[in-house]
Amino acid sequence: MAEKKDENKMEKIVSLCKRRGFVFQGSDIYGGLAGTWDLGPLGVALNNNIKREWWKMFVEGREDMYGLDAAILMNEKVWEASGHTGAGFSDPITECTKCNHRFRADHLENTEVCPDCKGELGEVRNFNLMFETKVGADGSQKSYLRPETAQGIFVNFKNVVDSMSPKMPFGIAQIGKAFRNEIAPREFLFRVREFEQMEIEYFVREEEWKAQFEVWRENILAWFAHIGLKEENLKELEVEESDLAHYSKRTIDFEYNFPGKGFDELAGFAYRTDHDLKNHMEASGTSLEYIDADGSRFIPHVLEPSFGVGRAFIAILSEAYTEDEMGGETRTYLKLPTYLAPNRVAVSPLLKNKPELVEKAREVFTMLKKQFGNVAWDDNGNVGKRYRRQDEIGTPHCVTIDFETLGEEKPELKDTVTVRDRDTGEQQRVAISDLVSVLMQS
Ligand code: GAP
């Protein structure tokens, strides 16, 4: 069973995602809407698993972290105070005077000639990435779809401190949608206009930030290892001072070797100083100081690990996507960790037209579904086809109920089933009474 080298891996992943119900083009039947994607039944399962594992690691698994789920729509003053309405959150844009195509000027080698039609490019101007909207029936109140979840955390800093009395240092974590009117959405889920972020604002004393920066760097790498990303596919890029976001004094981009693209940003890790709390304190007139046990007051500084769920989704699929030869045939499978796989296990009767097999298989299916939840029933086609289908969507085990389960041929095998392993294709006979504990070991 030899693994094959991947060519056109990204195209294959995109095609698998559509064919097997992971990701569809947004508004597909109307010709799509650029920069939007919809998650299908298996995609939403994988996406939820990513977010659940992240929450388990960074919130439930720690004593110094607090969860939050702030509203997407916020008072417009939030974005003025954070600096997002200004040039700091704009991209330089230029438009061709002939074909009217628009480009990010900082992505062009020559800002005078259109790369599409060789026409003349117009002046470079700043384009703000926030989607503007209006709140209320008279539309008098301007608002924005949030371009990062982070600001929801900063404006709730006082609420969390007052209600939870956290000790320094501590963090607030949030998972949620963010929106950016990207000039050039591209590369599947990589650069889109509506996406999900998993963000942490970790509040420290100013003098602690350097030591905590190193601790969080390790925490971030531990997360990547947990979701199966190989070290050789990860790189840390120290962002140059001239490229730093308007709020940051130091940033590391964690880059992943995306298939067909090469190394590019998977997650960001920024030292945001006290920029946000200070600005919100000034603009709102509400004190955002932390009061220590000894009565001293200070504005905490902030470390921000920020992860995009969509980019993690592609990286995970890229690591998991495998082609090998099994039984003389090429097969494709997703080598996903059990805790990320959309289906934990699939259950099948050997033949779907034998009521006694179907009945026993339904019993096993119901038992496993009660235990694990994400259990698939698969009785389409023959057993070989079912295995291939479940391999392709990353189901770690397939359980088959056959005549031996019924004890018809060999009474000693009564109430045992076949458990087939996705990665090796090996099969073992397991007593139904042991099935849950055997599956729990993976
Ligand atoms: N609060 C900090 C912040 O938003 P960012 O580097 O702009 O920092 C963080 O974004 C992460 O969000 C990125 O590393 C990426 O994973 C994801 N992300 C940002 N813009 C995105 C887009 N247009 N499409 C998909 N993911 C995006």
Coordinates of all heavy atoms in Angstrom, one line a residue, residues 304-352:
E304 N -2.6 38.8 20.8 CA -3.7 38.4 20.0 C -3.4 37.3 19.1 O -2.9 37.5 17.9 CB -4.3 39.5 19.2 CG -5.6 39.1 18.4 CD -6.0 40.1 17.4 OE1 -5.2 40.4 16.5 OE2 -7.1 40.6 17.5
P305 N -3.6 36.0 19.5 CA -3.6 34.9 18.5 C -4.9 34.9 17.7 O -6.0 34.9 18.3 CB -3.5 33.6 19.3 CG -3.2 34.1 20.7 CD -3.8 35.5 20.8
S306 N -4.8 35.0 16.4 CA -6.1 35.1 15.6 C -6.0 34.1 14.4 O -5.1 34.0 13.6 CB -6.1 36.5 15.0 OG -7.2 36.6 14.1
F307 N -7.0 33.2 14.4 CA -7.1 32.1 13.5 C -8.3 32.2 12.6 O -9.4 32.5 13.0 CB -7.2 30.8 14.2 CG -6.2 30.5 15.3 CD1 -6.3 31.1 16.6 CD2 -5.1 29.8 15.1 CE1 -5.4 30.9 17.6 CE2 -4.1 29.5 16.1 CZ -4.3 30.1 17.3
G308 N -8.1 31.9 11.3 CA -9.2 31.9 10.4 C -9.7 30.4 10.3 O -8.8 29.5 10.0
V309 N -11.0 30.1 10.5 CA -11.4 28.7 10.4 C -11.3 28.2 9.0 O -10.8 27.0 8.8 CB -12.9 28.6 10.9 CG1 -13.3 27.2 11.0 CG2 -13.1 29.3 12.2
G310 N -11.6 29.0 8.0 CA -11.5 28.5 6.6 C -10.1 28.1 6.2 O -10.0 27.1 5.5
R311 N -9.2 28.9 6.6 CA -7.8 28.5 6.2 C -7.3 27.2 6.9 O -6.6 26.4 6.4 CB -6.8 29.7 6.5 CG -7.1 30.8 5.5 CD -6.1 31.9 5.6 NE -6.6 33.1 4.8 CZ -6.0 34.2 4.7 NH1 -4.8 34.4 5.3 NH2 -6.5 35.2 4.0
A312 N -7.8 27.1 8.2 CA -7.5 25.8 8.9 C -8.2 24.6 8.2 O -7.6 23.6 8.1 CB -8.0 25.9 10.4
F313 N -9.4 24.9 7.7 CA -10.2 23.9 7.0 C -9.4 23.3 5.8 O -9.2 22.1 5.6 CB -11.5 24.5 6.6 CG -12.6 23.7 6.0 CD1 -13.7 23.4 6.8 CD2 -12.5 23.2 4.7 CE1 -14.7 22.6 6.3 CE2 -13.5 22.4 4.2 CZ -14.6 22.1 5.0
I314 N -8.8 24.3 5.0 CA -8.1 23.9 3.8 C -6.8 23.1 4.3 O -6.4 22.1 3.7 CB -7.6 25.0 2.9 CG1 -8.7 26.0 2.7 CG2 -7.0 24.5 1.6 CD1 -8.3 27.2 1.8
A315 N -6.1 23.7 5.3 CA -4.8 23.1 5.7 C -5.1 21.6 6.2 O -4.3 20.7 5.9 CB -4.2 23.9 6.8
I316 N -6.1 21.5 7.0 CA -6.5 20.1 7.5 C -6.8 19.2 6.4 O -6.3 18.0 6.3 CB -7.7 20.2 8.5 CG1 -7.2 20.9 9.8 CG2 -8.3 18.9 8.7 CD1 -8.4 21.4 10.7
L317 N -7.5 19.6 5.4 CA -7.9 18.7 4.2 C -6.6 18.4 3.4 O -6.4 17.3 2.9 CB -8.9 19.4 3.3 CG -10.3 19.4 3.9 CD1 -11.3 20.0 2.9 CD2 -10.8 18.0 4.3
S318 N -5.7 19.4 3.3 CA -4.5 19.2 2.6 C -3.6 18.1 3.2 O -3.1 17.3 2.6 CB -3.8 20.5 2.5 OG -2.5 20.3 2.0
E319 N -3.5 18.2 4.6 CA -2.7 17.2 5.3 C -3.4 15.8 5.2 O -2.7 14.8 5.1 CB -2.6 17.5 6.8 CG -1.8 18.7 7.1 CD -0.3 18.6 6.9 OE1 0.2 17.4 6.7 OE2 0.4 19.6 7.0
A320 N -4.7 15.8 5.2 CA -5.5 14.5 5.3 C -5.6 13.9 3.9 O -5.7 12.6 3.8 CB -6.8 14.8 5.9
Y321 N -5.6 14.7 2.8 CA -5.9 14.1 1.5 C -4.7 13.1 1.1 O -3.6 13.5 1.0 CB -6.0 15.2 0.5 CG -6.4 14.7 -0.9 CD1 -7.7 14.7 -1.3 CD2 -5.4 14.3 -1.8 CE1 -8.1 14.2 -2.5 CE2 -5.8 13.8 -3.0 CZ -7.1 13.8 -3.4 OH -7.5 13.3 -4.6
T322 N -5.1 11.9 0.9 CA -4.1 10.9 0.5 C -4.6 10.0 -0.6 O -5.8 9.6 -0.6 CB -3.8 10.0 1.8 OG1 -3.7 10.8 2.9 CG2 -2.6 9.1 1.6
E323 N -3.7 9.7 -1.5 CA -4.0 8.7 -2.5 C -3.0 7.5 -2.3 O -1.9 7.7 -2.1 CB -3.8 9.2 -3.9 CG -4.9 10.3 -4.3 CD -4.6 10.9 -5.6 OE1 -3.6 10.6 -6.3 OE2 -5.4 11.8 -6.0
D324 N -3.6 6.3 -2.4 CA -2.7 5.1 -2.3 C -3.2 4.0 -3.2 O -4.2 4.2 -3.9 CB -2.5 4.7 -0.8 CG -3.7 4.1 -0.2 OD1 -4.8 4.0 -0.9 OD2 -3.7 3.7 1.0
E325 N -2.6 2.9 -3.1 CA -3.1 1.7 -3.9 C -3.6 0.7 -2.9 O -2.9 0.4 -1.9 CB -2.0 1.1 -4.7 CG -1.8 2.0 -5.9 CD -1.3 1.2 -7.1 OE1 -1.3 -0.1 -7.1 OE2 -1.0 1.9 -8.1
M326 N -4.8 0.2 -3.1 CA -5.3 -0.8 -2.2 C -6.0 -1.9 -3.0 O -6.9 -1.5 -3.8 CB -6.2 -0.2 -1.1 CG -6.5 -1.1 0.0 SD -7.5 -0.3 1.2 CE -6.3 0.3 2.4
G327 N -5.7 -3.1 -2.9 CA -6.3 -4.2 -3.6 C -6.1 -3.9 -5.1 O -7.0 -4.2 -5.9
G328 N -5.0 -3.4 -5.5 CA -4.7 -3.2 -6.9 C -5.4 -2.0 -7.5 O -5.3 -1.8 -8.7
E329 N -6.1 -1.2 -6.7 CA -6.8 -0.1 -7.2 C -6.3 1.2 -6.5 O -5.9 1.2 -5.4 CB -8.3 -0.2 -6.9 CG -9.0 -1.0 -7.9 CD -10.5 -1.1 -7.5 OE1 -11.0 -0.1 -7.0 OE2 -11.1 -2.2 -7.7
T330 N -6.4 2.4 -7.3 CA -6.1 3.6 -6.6 C -7.2 4.0 -5.8 O -8.4 3.9 -6.2 CB -5.8 4.7 -7.7 OG1 -4.7 4.3 -8.4 CG2 -5.6 6.1 -7.0
R331 N -7.0 4.4 -4.5 CA -8.1 5.0 -3.7 C -7.7 6.3 -3.1 O -6.5 6.6 -3.0 CB -8.5 4.0 -2.6 CG -7.5 3.9 -1.6 CD -8.1 3.5 -0.2 NE -7.0 3.4 0.8 CZ -7.2 3.5 2.1 NH1 -8.4 3.6 2.6 NH2 -6.2 3.4 2.9
T332 N -8.7 7.1 -2.8 CA -8.5 8.4 -2.2 C -9.1 8.3 -0.8 O -10.2 7.8 -0.6 CB -9.2 9.5 -3.0 OG1 -8.7 9.5 -4.3 CG2 -9.0 10.9 -2.3
Y333 N -8.3 8.8 0.2 CA -8.9 8.9 1.5 C -8.5 10.1 2.3 O -7.4 10.6 2.0 CB -8.7 7.6 2.3 CG -7.3 7.3 2.8 CD1 -7.0 7.4 4.1 CD2 -6.3 6.8 1.9 CE1 -5.7 7.1 4.6 CE2 -5.1 6.5 2.3 CZ -4.8 6.7 3.7 OH -3.5 6.4 4.1
L334 N -9.3 10.5 3.2 CA -8.9 11.6 4.1 C -8.4 11.0 5.4 O -9.2 10.4 6.2 CB -10.1 12.6 4.3 CG -10.6 13.3 3.1 CD1 -11.8 14.2 3.6 CD2 -9.5 14.2 2.5
K335 N -7.1 11.2 5.7 CA -6.6 10.7 6.9 C -6.8 11.7 8.1 O -5.9 12.3 8.6 CB -5.1 10.5 6.7 CG -4.4 9.4 7.3 CD -2.9 9.4 6.8 CE -2.1 8.3 7.2 NZ -0.9 8.2 6.5
L336 N -8.1 11.9 8.4 CA -8.4 12.9 9.4 C -8.3 12.3 10.8 O -8.6 11.1 11.0 CB -9.8 13.4 9.2 CG -10.1 14.2 8.0 CD1 -11.7 14.4 7.8 CD2 -9.5 15.6 8.2
P337 N -7.8 13.1 11.8 CA -7.9 12.6 13.2 C -9.4 12.3 13.5 O -10.3 13.0 13.0 CB -7.4 13.8 14.0 CG -6.7 14.7 13.1 CD -7.3 14.4 11.7
T338 N -9.6 11.3 14.4 CA -11.0 10.9 14.7 C -11.9 12.1 15.1 O -13.0 12.3 14.8 CB -11.0 9.9 15.8 OG1 -10.2 8.8 15.3 CG2 -12.4 9.3 16.1
Y339 N -11.3 13.0 15.9 CA -12.0 14.1 16.5 C -12.4 15.2 15.5 O -13.1 16.1 15.8 CB -11.4 14.7 17.7 CG -9.9 14.9 17.6 CD1 -9.3 16.1 17.0 CD2 -9.0 14.0 18.1 CE1 -8.0 16.2 16.9 CE2 -7.6 14.1 18.0 CZ -7.1 15.3 17.4 OH -5.7 15.4 17.2
L340 N -11.8 15.1 14.3 CA -12.2 16.1 13.2 C -13.0 15.5 12.1 O -13.7 16.2 11.4 CB -10.9 16.6 12.6 CG -10.0 17.5 13.4 CD1 -8.8 18.0 12.6 CD2 -10.8 18.7 14.0
A341 N -13.0 14.1 12.0 CA -13.8 13.5 11.0 C -15.3 13.8 11.1 O -15.8 13.7 12.1 CB -13.5 12.0 11.0
P342 N -15.9 14.1 9.9 CA -17.4 14.4 9.9 C -18.2 13.2 10.5 O -19.1 13.4 11.3 CB -17.7 14.6 8.5 CG -16.4 15.1 7.8 CD -15.3 14.4 8.6
N343 N -17.9 12.0 10.0 CA -18.5 10.8 10.6 C -17.5 10.1 11.4 O -16.4 9.8 11.0 CB -19.0 9.8 9.5 CG -20.0 10.4 8.6 OD1 -20.8 11.2 9.1 ND2 -20.1 10.0 7.4
R344 N -17.9 9.7 12.6 CA -16.9 9.0 13.5 C -16.9 7.5 13.0 O -15.8 6.9 13.0 CB -17.4 9.0 14.9 CG -16.3 8.8 15.9 CD -16.8 8.9 17.3 NE -15.7 9.0 18.3 CZ -14.8 8.1 18.5 NH1 -14.9 6.9 17.9 NH2 -13.9 8.3 19.4
V345 N -18.0 7.0 12.6 CA -18.1 5.6 12.1 C -19.3 5.5 11.2 O -20.2 6.2 11.3 CB -18.1 4.6 13.4 CG1 -19.3 5.0 14.3 CG2 -18.2 3.2 13.0
A346 N -19.2 4.5 10.3 CA -20.3 4.2 9.4 C -20.8 2.7 9.7 O -19.9 1.9 9.9 CB -20.0 4.4 8.0
V347 N -22.1 2.5 9.6 CA -22.6 1.2 9.9 C -23.4 0.7 8.7 O -24.1 1.4 8.1 CB -23.6 1.2 11.1 CG1 -24.1 -0.2 11.4 CG2 -22.8 1.8 12.4
S348 N -23.1 -0.6 8.3 CA -23.8 -1.1 7.1 C -24.3 -2.6 7.4 O -23.5 -3.4 8.0 CB -22.8 -1.2 6.0 OG -22.2 -0.1 5.7
P349 N -25.4 -2.9 6.8 CA -25.7 -4.4 6.7 C -25.0 -4.9 5.5 O -24.9 -4.2 4.5 CB -27.2 -4.4 6.6 CG -27.5 -3.1 5.9 CD -26.5 -2.1 6.3
L350 N -24.5 -6.1 5.5 CA -23.8 -6.7 4.4 C -24.7 -6.6 3.1 O -24.2 -6.2 2.0 CB -23.4 -8.1 4.6 CG -22.6 -8.8 3.5 CD1 -21.2 -8.2 3.3 CD2 -22.5 -10.3 3.8
L351 N -25.9 -7.0 3.3 CA -26.9 -6.9 2.1 C -28.1 -6.1 2.6 O -28.6 -6.4 3.7 CB -27.3 -8.3 1.7 CG -26.1 -9.2 1.2 CD1 -26.7 -10.7 1.1 CD2 -25.6 -8.7 -0.1
K352 N -28.6 -5.2 1.8 CA -29.7 -4.4 2.3 C -31.1 -5.1 2.0 O -32.1 -4.6 2.5 CB -29.6 -3.0 1.7 CG -29.9 -2.8 0.3 CD -30.0 -1.3 0.1 CE -30.1 -0.9 -1.4 NZ -30.0 0.5 -1.6

